[in-house]
Amino acid sequence: MFDIKSSNLEIVLFGYGSTGAKVYEMLSSSFSKITVVDSDPAHIERAKENGIVTSYLVDITNDSELEELGLDGKILFCAMDEMALNIFLALSLKSISKDSTLLSISTSAENTRKLKFIGVDKVIDIYESSANRIVDIIIRPAVTRVMDEIIYVDNGINIEEIEIPPNSFLDGKCVQDVNFREYGLILIGISDKELGEDFIFVSRGINHKFDPGDILVVMGETQALEDFYKRLMERR
């Protein structure tokens, strides 16, 4: 996620065990404001050894200690090694934080169901994601290699999610009214909140009407993405 967007986001990552440390490594390439919280002294010690200054030892079963972290309006990411702790933590965070976005990893369909029932905004099933990745490698090896080159190789090409703000130049327009190539971008798809956040691939030929709150998934060079985001934030 490019700097203009990510610089405004604050993430509180719960867990710095084997899972949380990997999540931190991925997030830190795109986000600069990450606080690590764990109830295991050894995990916090490791975080500090790795240069994470904003890491705190907190009893995650104690709501008072959690509230002292000032969680309102932040992205809260549950990545404890034990799923039972993630479910317990998500339940606590849902009740004590306001205007926060709650994410959690999951290791099974049953855990995913429980987390969604609690009200977790985004659940990431690490086994399902791995399985999908393996299937892609087996049945679509060429496509997988191309996507790896685009996403993972440092070639300046990125894929970003950009939310359409109110009163942007896209208001009232449809997909076919906007030439994204003029901005140096390719529009991959749209997540429409009115349709339950279903993802729509534009390759299916659907002439979707843009609305504030829709999430665009676009691909292009970093500078082109930043320029488009600035253009989108200009009010009409």
Side-chain angles (χ1 to χ4, degrees):
M1 203 171 289
F2 51 86
D3 291 339
I4 294 173
K5 188 174 179 181
S6 60
S7 62
N8 297 321
L9 299 176
E10 292 186 48
I11 299 176
V12 181
L13 175 64
F14 292 91
Y16 199 75
S18 57
T19 302
K22 291 177 182 175
V23 172
Y24 181 90
E25 184 179 346
M26 289 186 288
L27 293 175
S28 60
S29 64
S30 299
F31 299 92
S32 57
K33 299 178 181 177
I34 305 176
T35 297
V36 170
V37 177
D38 204 307
S39 52
D40 188 326
H43 292 170
I44 293 300
E45 182 64 27
R46 184 158 68 111
K48 292 186 181 299
E49 289 174 355
N50 289 336
I52 304 172
V53 178
T54 53
S55 52
Y56 302 105
L57 181 64
V58 171
D59 180 359
I60 65 167
T61 64
N62 187 318
D63 285 0
S64 297
E65 292 193 25
L66 291 173
E67 287 177 317
E68 290 177 4
L69 293 169
L71 303 174
D72 293 346
K74 298 179 181 177
I75 296 175
L76 313 179
F77 200 136
C78 302
M80 308 292 290
D81 285 341
E82 294 182 36
M83 271 313 303
L85 285 178
N86 285 320
I87 292 172
F88 180 86
L89 181 59
L91 192 60
S92 297
L93 295 175
K94 195 66 183 175
S95 65
I96 66 175
S97 61
K98 299 176 182 177
D99 301 323
S100 298
T101 301
L102 184 56
L103 294 83
S104 178
I105 63 162
S106 171
T107 55
S108 70
E110 177 61 17
N111 288 330
T112 297
R113 186 189 66 78
K114 291 177 180 176
L115 290 163
K116 288 184 175 179
F117 180 78
I118 290 170
V120 174
D121 298 294
K122 297 289 181 184
V123 179
I124 301 165
D125 188 325
I126 55 177
Y127 289 142
E128 182 180 356
S129 298
S130 299
N132 290 339
R133 170 72 175 163
I134 292 169
V135 170
D136 279 345
I137 291 172
I138 293 172
I139 67 175
R140 301 191 303 171
V143 172
T144 304
R145 283 198 298 274
V146 170
M147 293 304 294
D148 283 349
E149 287 294 318
I150 292 172
I151 297 173
Y152 299 113
V153 175
D154 186 15
N155 56 10
I157 302 295
N158 294 304
I159 296 176
E160 295 290 348
E161 293 185 1
I162 301 178
E163 182 173 341
I164 299 177
N167 304 315
S168 76
F169 77 96
L170 291 182
D171 267 9
K173 294 183 178 178
C174 295
V175 170
Q176 293 179 8
D177 297 330
V178 182
N179 184 2
F180 281 85
R181 292 185 183 276
E182 288 184 352
Y183 300 95
L185 302 176
I186 296 174
L187 176 65
I188 298 173
I190 305 158
S191 179
D192 186 339
K193 291 188 175 180
E194 290 183 353
L195 298 178
E197 300 188 358
D198 287 343
F199 187 77
I200 304 167
F201 284 96
V202 295
S203 59
R204 294 177 181 174
I206 298 173
N207 194 23
H208 175 81
K209 178 178 172 295
F210 296 119
D211 293 307
D214 285 354
I215 306 293
L216 306 178
V217 178
V218 290
M219 182 173 69
E221 293 184 355
T222 302
Q223 187 60 55
L225 289 162
E226 292 183 358
D227 291 343
F228 179 76
Y229 182 72
K230 290 178 182 176
R231 176 78 175 90
L232 201 59
M233 295 301 290
E234 295 173 355
R235 297 295 188 264
R236 292 193 302 180

